[in-house]
Amino acid sequence: MKFLPVKLFYFIYFSSTTVFQPYLPLCMFEMGLSTFQVGVIRCIGPVTCFTASPVWGLLGDKYRCHRAIMILCVVVSSVSIPLLLFVPPVEYFESRTFSGMNRQNLNNNGRAHHFQIQEVNISNDDPVDFDGQVPDQVPSDHPTKGLRTEVNQELFPSLSTVTFSLLVAIVIVSSTLLAGIIPLVDANTVELCKKYPGATYGGQRWPGALAVIVISPFAGLLIDFYQHYENKNVSDSFFLSNSYTPSFCLFSVLILLSIIPLLKIEVVSKRAPRSISKELLALLCDTDIIMTFVVIFVVGACKGIVAAFLFIFLGEIGASKTLMSLSLVLTCVAEVPCLMLAGKAIDILGNDTVFCLGLLAYIVRFGGYSFLRNPWMVLPIETLHGICFGLLWPNCTEYANGIAPEGMAATLQSIMHATKAGIGKCFRCTY
């Protein structure tokens, strides 16, 4: 019963992130951002995590306020992330811009011309009357042909600037807050496992993988249902008209519910370190520790590359969306037994051997992708995720706590998390 709140927290927290994180890029595309802009925002998140995570860990260890930091981050993130839904889409600014251009003389480059736009309507469903002709009747050499595209891209190239800037600000704030939750919980979980012999980190972490298996299909069905409802009930509200509104609302509810187990989790109390900077500097001068963090960076980069490009690759070789979903579920199914057995595997094999096994699993996994021609063969390859994450991540957390000076467990966990989820995942953006 000591670990029930820990298991419950992991289940609720990862349920909350599962319902919104996979759909965040799609939500941004729906708002009218370009592929480049979405890519920039996806890079900003890991960079922010890399900066913020160690700060939260240092604050927690210095002032012994781990629980307060976790609850603060949970509460504020439950508000900050849904703010994305209130950001005006690019289409909003387009409509306001074009409404002032009706009956103006424009050519393809936005300069004066002899013809007139009788009506400008940015809706893809309504006709645009060019010189009394419907679009299908406009000759290919007519100066109005392709006008909307030219105006969007050349005359008003900065229409999306406001939307993009607001989303960047919200993502920075949200990533900063989320970076202060899992590293501190992980650090405390490992300390609890030390306090109660026989318990392992993986044995407490597996409900997080179970949450992805259970919640992912529900989130998809909820979004599909809402999109069907939205098509029948068009709303002028940014909040209601966004297809992913239920996803973000569900996130807020779930992450707020995670406060309940957070209040019940036993926080292992240790004295504050005398000098965090000196202790940290001593660790960073150790060659073995530096090389281990290089390995953790490689692991984060590998995970980021898979997350960013696997579905794109599968689509290119003809995989259906159903197959993609099955592959995602299978990775989580493979995680559960590996997480539960990770503690025993680490005790028997040792940290170094488990690191090598994890890297070897990634080599085999990427090699399998390179020879993949039948998309269905991705399913057996994805079972390697059990080793790549289910075995490797508990090894990382236990290693970080093992080398941490007394009272600095959260700091080391945060640095490791920043290395893997920060610069490691950001590395994928260079592709």
Side-chain angles (χ1 to χ4, degrees), residues 88 193 201 236 328 333 365 368:
C193 292
Y201 168 81
D236 293 331
L328 181 61
V333 171
R365 192 174 177 182

Side-chain angles (χ1 to χ4, degrees), residues 39-49 164 168 171-172 175 426 429:
V40 170
I41 293 177
R42 283 175 65 84
C43 184
I44 287 173
V47 171
T48 305
C49 174
F164 174 72
V168 166
V171 167
I172 289 175
S175 299
C426 185
C429 299

Side-chain angles (χ1 to χ4, degrees), residues 226-270:
Y226 186 79
Q227 287 177 339
H228 178 72
Y229 170 82
E230 180 201 1
N231 290 335
K232 294 183 177 181
N233 301 272
V234 179
S235 172
D236 293 331
S237 167
F238 305 142
F239 179 80
L240 294 177
S241 63
N242 193 299
S243 301
Y244 302 95
T245 294
S247 175
F248 288 88
C249 292
L250 186 57
F251 162 80
S252 290
V253 173
L254 288 172
I255 200 167
L256 284 174
L257 285 175
S258 70
I259 294 177
I260 298 173
L262 272 180
L263 292 171
K264 299 294 183 180
I265 289 176
E266 178 185 348
V267 177
V268 179
S269 180
K270 291 190 175 182

Side-chain angles (χ1 to χ4, degrees), residues 10-12 14-19 23 206-222 250 254 325-326 328-336:
Y10 281 123
F11 182 85
I12 297 175
F14 284 105
S15 294
S16 70
T17 56
T18 297
V19 299
Y23 305 105
W206 66 265
L210 182 64
V212 179
I213 299 171
V214 174
I215 299 298
S216 291
F218 173 74
L221 289 171
L222 184 64
L250 186 57
L254 288 172
S325 300
L326 283 174
L328 181 61
V329 171
L330 188 60
T331 59
C332 298
V333 171
E335 274 183 33
V336 174

Side-chain angles (χ1 to χ4, degrees), residues 116-128:
Q116 284 191 327
I117 300 176
Q118 303 297 330
E119 177 185 352
V120 177
N121 191 324
I122 66 167
S123 172
N124 292 328
D125 299 324
D126 298 330
V128 179

Side-chain angles (χ1 to χ4, degrees), residues 3-15 18 182 185-186 189 193 198-215 329 331-343 385-386 389-391 393-394 397-398:
F3 289 94
L4 182 59
V6 178
K7 290 184 173 72
L8 188 59
F9 169 80
Y10 281 123
F11 182 85
I12 297 175
Y13 176 82
F14 284 105
S15 294
T18 297
I182 286 298
V185 175
D186 281 351
T189 301
C193 292
T200 62
Y201 168 81
Q204 320 313 318
R205 174 63 175 75
W206 66 265
L210 182 64
V212 179
I213 299 171
V214 174
I215 299 298
V329 171
T331 59
C332 298
V333 171
E335 274 183 33
V336 174
C338 289
L339 283 168
M340 297 178 73
L341 298 173
H385 185 74
F389 181 84
L391 193 60
W393 184 245
T397 57
E398 293 193 14

Side-chain angles (χ1 to χ4, degrees), residues 47-104:
V47 171
T48 305
C49 174
F50 172 70
T51 306
S53 188
V55 174
W56 289 122
L58 286 167
L59 290 174
D61 284 337
K62 184 174 182 179
Y63 298 105
R64 318 311 299 166
C65 56
H66 301 89
R67 195 196 307 273
I69 288 176
M70 291 184 286
I71 292 176
L72 173 67
C73 291
V74 165
V75 171
V76 182
S77 64
S78 71
V79 177
S80 65
I81 291 177
L83 286 177
L84 290 164
L85 299 172
F86 293 93
V87 175
V90 176
E91 187 179 32
Y92 168 78
F93 297 105
E94 286 183 342
S95 62
R96 293 179 67 88
T97 301
F98 280 94
S99 65
M101 294 172 53
N102 289 345
R103 304 181 183 279
Q104 288 184 359

